[in-house]
Each structure stands twice: as C-alpha cells, then as structure tokens.
Amino acid sequence: MKPTTFVAAAALLALAARAEAAIKTEEIEYRQGDTTLQGTVARDDAVKGKRPGVLVVHEWWGHNEHARKQAVRLAKAGYVAFALDMYGKGKVADATHPKDAQAFSEEVTKDPELVAARFNAGLDVLKQQPDVDPEKIAVVGYCMGGTIALGMARAGADVDAVATFHAGLKPPAAPAEKGTIKVKKVLVQTGGADPFVPKEQVQALEKELKAAGVDVQVVTYPKAKHSFTNPDANKAEMPALAYDAQADKQSWERLTKFLKNVFKS
C-alpha cells in the first residue's frame, strides 16, 4: 500500500470511529406509581442543540436488546430516542420463553389506565431530556408497542406522529374521532403473511384514521410475518413469527423518510 493510500485509509477509519463514538446510550431509572422502570436513552453527542425526540415502545418481550437497538438507530438518524419500559425493571422475556412474554403483557394491558400511565411516564422522561424539543415528538411502536401507540393516539396523546411495525390492529371499542385525535400523521407497516393481522383489520384501521382526519400511510410487505424486524423472532419457534431482512431494511427506510417529512419544518 502506498503511503498516501495508507494515510487516507487511516483517516477514514478514524472518522468512522469518531462518528460511532458520538452515539451515546444511558440507562435511566424512573417510576410510575410504586413501580421502578428502566429505559434507555440514545443520542448523538456530536449534534448540538435541541432536536426532535422519538419514544420507542417495545414488543411483548419487554425492554430488550431489540428495543435498545432501535433507539440507537434513531439516534444515528438524528433524533434523541428513549426506549421506555412498560413492565418494570428486570421484567424481560427471552425470545425462547413466549409464555413469560404473554404473562408480562397481559398483566399490563388488562388495565388501560396502567397502559396510559406507563406510556406517559416514558413520554415525560423523553420530553425532559435537555436536548429534546418537547414540541416535536414521535412514537415508534413494535408489535404490542405499536398497538399501544395507536391506542394512545386514539386517546389524544399530544405527539406529532405515530409509526408502527407489525402491530396488532384489532378494532378498538372506541374508534378515533375527528377533533379528539391530535396525531396528524401515522405510518403503519405490517406483514401480509402475519396471521395475527388479517387484511380486513388493516383496511378498517386505515378507514378509521382517515375518517378522523389523520394523514395515514399503510404499507404491507406481502411475504413478511409477525415480528419481521426482530432478528431473534425465529428463536421463539412460533410459526407466526419470523425475521425478514428485506422487510426490516425497507420498513426502516420508510420510517426515516416518514420522520423527516414529519419534522421537516
């Protein structure tokens, strides 16, 4: 290798290392009632000033590596991201133990007031970050987290946008109504081969949100199953769950474009 080539290569490696090192994560303990929760905030320390915040709501597995990785990806995209905790510190199910995940999920989701309280506790942590513009907030939810995000949007959550990946889309008891929902833009990304989400539910959701005055975009990946963004999905040995690298890549690209559009002003 020529000296000039070596120097150039070394400089590129140094720049790459500095760029990677700029992404910082921090575990944050916070409380909701008597429950101690633990989430992860991710940010790019090289960026100065306030920027939009993104709240990440995890799958039914809990606040796991998948949720934290999404926060890091969002930080690399230019946002401050907070991956909240819906269950409580330490309540995380391994992908090989879906029964534990189901138990954790049912314990929380059986009480809508508790769901709202845990969601809002995480939202408060995000808004309180010194480099977050509290007037520019989006929510990104995966599976159960996507269902929760849509439910909070229907309930009037004061956020700019909601994006979901392989969320449950069962029609709610109280559909969104025009004038009560504050979220203006929603992106729903679902799997066409997801047995938990029949196309009739997808169509019903789109109709509901449009009637409520929401700018909604629905994207279906024909061959994708449930949990298509999680590389550990196959470990659960559940036929309905499978990681799909192509759908993961394409859906992430759509998310980043969606968020840029939401916060373009």
Side-chain angles (χ1 to χ4, degrees):
M1 182 181 292
K2 294 180 180 180
T4 54
T5 304
F6 177 80
V7 171
L12 287 172
L13 288 172
L15 287 171
R18 283 200 295 272
E20 190 67 26
I23 301 298
K24 302 295 184 183
T25 61
E26 177 188 359
E27 300 298 317
I28 295 181
E29 282 195 12
Y30 61 109
R31 297 186 68 82
Q32 181 277 308
D34 296 328
T35 302
T36 299
L37 305 162
Q38 181 170 293
T40 302
V41 65
R43 54 169 55 86
D44 185 343
D45 272 1
V47 178
K48 304 301 179 184
K50 292 184 180 293
R51 70 211 82 161
V54 181
L55 186 67
V56 179
V57 191
H58 57 71
E59 298 178 280
W60 73 335
W61 307 110
H63 179 79
N64 61 2
E65 183 180 5
H66 176 263
R68 293 189 291 272
K69 281 185 175 180
Q70 306 319 306
V72 169
R73 292 172 86 183
L74 286 161
K76 290 179 179 178
Y79 307 100
V80 176
F82 181 63
L84 57 63
D85 176 8
M86 291 296 297
Y87 295 160
K89 183 178 178 180
K91 284 191 174 183
V92 182
D94 183 87
T96 59
H97 294 83
K99 288 185 179 180
D100 291 343
Q102 183 175 358
F104 291 153
S105 173
E106 290 177 350
E107 181 183 356
V108 171
T109 58
K110 67 182 180 182
D111 183 353
E113 291 186 3
L114 180 58
V115 169
R118 296 275 170 90
F119 177 91
N120 287 323
L123 184 60
D124 288 343
V125 171
L126 175 64
K127 289 184 174 182
Q128 290 165 10
Q129 297 306 304
D131 45 359
V132 168
D133 182 344
E135 300 301 317
K136 294 182 178 181
I137 302 291
V139 181
V140 175
Y142 294 81
C143 296
M144 179 196 77
T147 306
I148 289 172
L150 289 170
M152 293 305 301
R154 291 185 179 101
D158 190 13
V159 298
D160 296 288
V162 165
T164 71
F165 295 81
H166 41 82
L169 303 180
K170 184 179 178 180
E177 295 183 5
K178 198 166 187 176
T180 61
I181 187 167
K182 296 179 181 179
V183 174
K184 300 303 180 185
K185 292 181 180 292
V186 171
L187 171 64
V188 174
Q189 302 197 76
T190 189
D194 185 343
F196 298 143
V197 188
K199 64 180 181 180
E200 293 79 12
Q201 290 186 6
V202 179
Q203 294 167 350
L205 175 75
E206 187 172 13
K207 182 179 179 180
E208 174 202 0
L209 294 182
K210 284 183 177 179
V214 178
D215 179 359
V216 57
Q217 178 185 0
V218 177
V219 181
T220 300
Y221 300 93
K223 297 181 180 180
K225 294 185 177 183
H226 197 68
S227 201
F228 60 78
T229 67
N230 191 338
D232 288 335
N234 297 23
K235 293 180 181 179
E237 296 185 351
M238 297 174 64
L241 276 59
Y243 176 63
D244 188 313
Q246 183 177 12
D248 183 22
K249 180 178 183 294
Q250 292 176 346
S251 61
W252 184 259
E253 290 172 350
R254 282 193 169 94
L255 173 67
T256 55
K257 290 179 181 178
F258 172 75
L259 292 176
K260 284 182 180 179
N261 182 261
V262 169
F263 298 120
K264 61 184 179 183
S265 60

